Each structure stands twice: as C-alpha cells, then as structure tokens.
Amino acid sequence: MSTPVVLVPGLGLGPESYARTVEHLVTPYHVVTLPGYGEPAGAREDLHPRALAVALAEKIRGRSVLVGHSASCQIVVETAVRYPELAHALVLAAPTGDVAMSSWVDRAVRLVGSAIPDVPKLVRISPQYARTTLPSIARAGEASRHHDLAAVMPYVRVPVVLVRGRHDLLCTAEWLERLARLSNGEARTLDTGAHMPVVTNGPELAALIERAAALPGSS
C-alpha cells in the first residue's frame, strides 16, 4: 500500500501550483500551505525554514512522502530531520538553499532567466503570489536565503529524490548533485522545464512521487 503524500507549495505559491502534478497522482495526497508559502504571514511570525518545519509537522497526519518545491524544500528537509517519524521519503523539486548564491541580484537574474522558457505556462500563477502577499514573500525569501540546505542534508535518514528542469538556473545540476551526494539521494534532471517542474513537468514529477510512495518503510 502506498504511503500518503504531503505537498508544500514553493515560496509565494499556493495549492494550485501543484494542479498539473496531482492530476497524475493515484496515491492519496494533501497540500499544506504555510506562512509565506500560500498564506500571508503575521508580522511577528518566524519564517525561517526551521521554524516553519514545526508548523508543517503540526499539519501532517502521519508518516508521509514529503514533497517540497524551491524554497519549501528547505522546510521539508528540516521537518524530516527534526521529526523523522513523519517522513517516509522526500521528493525535492528544484531545491534552493545554496548560501553561496546569497545575493538578491544574482537570484533575481537567475529566476528571470529560468522563467523565460516557461512563460506561457506560468501566466496563471500571479494570483497565488497576490494571496500570499508580497511582504510575506519577501520576508520568507529573506529567511530562506540564509538557510544552508547543504548543512542539513547529511542528517536525512530516508530516501531522497531530487529533481530539476534542464533550464533551471537557480537549482543547477551541480547543486542538485551535491545535495544528492550529501543525502545518498537520487538526482534527476528532466529534459524540459526550468524552476517550476510542479507546473511544467507534472507527469514526470508525479511518477517520481508515486515511486517514492511505493518504497518499503524504513525503521
């Protein structure tokens, strides 16, 4: 029997961002939104990935495949490390968290460059950013920018699948391979897409999630 799936939207995005992925899922799933990741944040809320991992754990019903996209991968990994009983496997789509890429300017240039090939498929996501609110997105983005995902990956004790689109400039092939080595995980670069595989590569991402859900449980 497959393990349930929990999907966390990327920075500023909402449940709709996974629409083209979940339509290909057979395994039961639910999408969990968090402050800065589908929900507006309160003025005093801590939006660091470690703090949001606590919030995510409170919304998970049991041992699950945890799926993150972009900056929410950092939250998913922190959750798996802090609450190992909740993680069956991880699927990390276009993970960020490279502190060597710390400049906002560098990130913005890479994000724009990654978006250009997929513009026709991304035009419908702007309402999701409006709902989360730009101040919340900016605060959550700043918190994630100083989180070193590579420092946390060696502590993950469940199977990890890492995936990126071929044209992703934010999550490079070198970065993905590094995270895979640190976690004994599997790195996959898709032939198409960029930083939004949840939108542009739904069938391929769903297949990887299904495979992770079918893995035998670990102790």
Side-chain angles (χ1 to χ4, degrees), residues 102-179:
S102 59
S103 163
W104 271 113
V105 174
D106 184 24
R107 289 182 175 225
V109 169
R110 289 173 181 266
L111 181 59
V112 170
S114 298
I116 288 173
D118 296 327
V119 165
K121 296 181 180 180
L122 303 181
V123 293
R124 297 182 181 179
I125 67 174
S126 56
Q128 299 173 53
Y129 292 125
R131 183 177 59 222
T132 303
T133 75
L134 292 180
S136 297
I137 294 169
R139 286 177 51 214
E142 180 67 10
S144 71
R145 189 165 67 93
H146 298 290
H147 176 264
D148 186 357
L149 183 58
V152 186
M153 291 299 288
Y155 299 98
V156 177
R157 294 292 178 261
V158 295
V160 182
V161 178
L162 305 104
V163 59
R164 63 182 288 274
R166 179 181 178 184
H167 304 291
D168 193 345
L169 303 179
L170 270 174
C171 177
T172 65
E174 292 78 13
W175 171 243
L176 203 75
E177 292 287 350
R178 181 184 176 195
L179 296 179

Side-chain angles (χ1 to χ4, degrees), residues 17 20 33 43-44 49 71 82 89 97 120 132 152 158 182 190 202 212:
S17 64
R20 294 180 180 175
T33 58
R44 297 188 178 183
R82 293 170 65 99
T132 303
V152 186
V158 295
L182 290 169
L190 304 175

Side-chain angles (χ1 to χ4, degrees), residues 1-164:
M1 186 175 182
S2 294
T3 305
V5 173
V6 171
L7 305 110
V8 185
L11 181 65
L13 297 172
E16 306 95 321
S17 64
Y18 279 106
R20 294 180 180 175
T21 297
V22 299
E23 66 184 14
H24 300 282
L25 285 181
V26 177
T27 301
Y29 71 88
H30 71 285
V31 181
V32 174
T33 58
L34 297 166
Y37 299 80
E39 301 175 7
R44 297 188 178 183
E45 284 191 89
D46 186 348
L47 302 184
H48 191 278
R50 284 192 297 271
L52 292 177
V54 177
L56 175 57
E58 292 173 351
K59 296 185 176 185
I60 297 176
R61 299 166 189 155
R63 195 172 187 87
S64 305
V65 175
L66 305 182
V67 181
H69 168 227
S70 191
S72 75
C73 292
Q74 297 165 238
I75 302 168
V76 161
V77 171
E78 287 283 359
T79 303
V81 171
R82 293 170 65 99
Y83 305 96
E85 72 278 5
L86 297 178
H88 176 81
L90 305 183
V91 177
L92 307 180
T96 52
D98 184 357
V99 293
M101 193 187 299
S102 59
S103 163
W104 271 113
V105 174
D106 184 24
R107 289 182 175 225
V109 169
R110 289 173 181 266
L111 181 59
V112 170
S114 298
I116 288 173
D118 296 327
V119 165
K121 296 181 180 180
L122 303 181
V123 293
R124 297 182 181 179
I125 67 174
S126 56
Q128 299 173 53
Y129 292 125
R131 183 177 59 222
T132 303
T133 75
L134 292 180
S136 297
I137 294 169
R139 286 177 51 214
E142 180 67 10
S144 71
R145 189 165 67 93
H146 298 290
H147 176 264
D148 186 357
L149 183 58
V152 186
M153 291 299 288
Y155 299 98
V156 177
R157 294 292 178 261
V158 295
V160 182
V161 178
L162 305 104
V163 59
R164 63 182 288 274

